[in-house]
Amino acid sequence: MYSTSLIEIEVVSFDQKSTFEVIEGDGDEKLAELAPDVLLFEPLILNDNARVSIDDTLFNINRILQTVKSSNDEVAAYIVPTNPIHQAGYYLTQIERLEDFAEEEEWPYIDHWGNWPDVEDDDILTYLQESVPSQDGHEAWAKAVVSELTGR
């Protein structure tokens, strides 16, 4: 068990920026400058949705992660997909492509979607508040992250 005094957490938000906008604004370099030991990277799939092709999104995600890795080869960088949304449509295909990409590029992938109701099921609405996680959604997400990082 680690003491919380040994763990420093920094949240970096890119608001509604696309992956292109993050790179254009040197967001990848700013992440790299933080020199994290562990990076839980939530790709900007929803931000890119209908604005950037999934192929370009995946290319940009890889660039962002490679930039961070180049500053610290020992970083444990995980891809953690954005939350499910009700009746996801094309977004579901994008998430499937993201998971395939993570496997192909050998980026660890934390799949928290299995902890949520199906995207077609109205029960998922209790896990969301206007397409972002509610308390139930955060708990479903956190359960997967904690399990991955602790092995429990």
Side-chain angles (χ1 to χ4, degrees), residues 9 33 65 81 89 96 101 115:
I9 297 172
E33 288 171 10
L65 292 172
E96 290 167 355
F101 158 82
N115 295 346

Side-chain angles (χ1 to χ4, degrees), residues 75-133:
V75 66
Y78 295 83
I79 293 177
V80 185
T82 305
N83 60 274
I85 56 175
H86 189 236
Q87 299 179 340
Y90 183 64
Y91 175 59
L92 185 57
T93 302
Q94 293 171 314
I95 293 298
E96 290 167 355
R97 290 276 312 274
L98 175 66
E99 188 170 7
D100 291 343
F101 158 82
E103 185 177 329
E104 290 165 13
E105 297 295 326
E106 299 181 350
W107 291 111
Y109 185 87
I110 300 176
D111 182 8
H112 59 92
W113 279 42
N115 295 346
W116 297 65
D118 186 88
V119 296
E120 296 302 320
D121 190 333
D122 287 346
D123 288 345
I124 199 170
L125 295 172
T126 63
Y127 285 66
L128 300 167
Q129 293 174 322
E130 298 180 26
S131 298
V132 297

Side-chain angles (χ1 to χ4, degrees), residues 37-41 65 68-69 74-79 107-109:
D37 295 317
V38 176
L39 174 66
L40 301 176
F41 182 68
L65 292 172
V68 173
K69 189 106 173 139
E74 299 296 315
V75 66
Y78 295 83
I79 293 177
W107 291 111
Y109 185 87

Side-chain angles (χ1 to χ4, degrees), residues 8-152:
E8 183 179 325
I9 297 172
E10 184 153 352
V11 176
V12 177
S13 175
F14 295 111
D15 300 313
Q16 297 300 312
K17 291 181 180 172
S18 71
T19 54
F20 276 125
E21 292 168 327
V22 168
I23 291 169
E24 287 172 357
D26 294 328
D28 55 337
E29 298 290 339
K30 292 172 186 167
L31 280 177
E33 288 171 10
L34 295 173
D37 295 317
V38 176
L39 174 66
L40 301 176
F41 182 68
E42 178 190 348
L44 307 169
I45 299 283
L46 276 178
N47 293 8
D48 281 7
N49 194 9
R51 296 171 52 191
V52 178
S53 76
I54 187 62
D55 291 331
D56 286 339
T57 295
L58 297 175
F59 179 86
N60 292 340
I61 289 167
N62 202 43
R63 177 174 170 180
I64 292 166
L65 292 172
Q66 289 293 347
T67 300
V68 173
K69 189 106 173 139
S70 71
S71 73
N72 176 8
D73 193 44
E74 299 296 315
V75 66
Y78 295 83
I79 293 177
V80 185
T82 305
N83 60 274
I85 56 175
H86 189 236
Q87 299 179 340
Y90 183 64
Y91 175 59
L92 185 57
T93 302
Q94 293 171 314
I95 293 298
E96 290 167 355
R97 290 276 312 274
L98 175 66
E99 188 170 7
D100 291 343
F101 158 82
E103 185 177 329
E104 290 165 13
E105 297 295 326
E106 299 181 350
W107 291 111
Y109 185 87
I110 300 176
D111 182 8
H112 59 92
W113 279 42
N115 295 346
W116 297 65
D118 186 88
V119 296
E120 296 302 320
D121 190 333
D122 287 346
D123 288 345
I124 199 170
L125 295 172
T126 63
Y127 285 66
L128 300 167
Q129 293 174 322
E130 298 180 26
S131 298
V132 297
S134 65
Q135 183 64 34
D136 288 341
H138 283 292
E139 288 173 13
W141 199 326
K143 183 179 175 184
V145 172
V146 169
S147 176
E148 177 70 29
L149 298 179
T150 65
R152 293 188 251 165

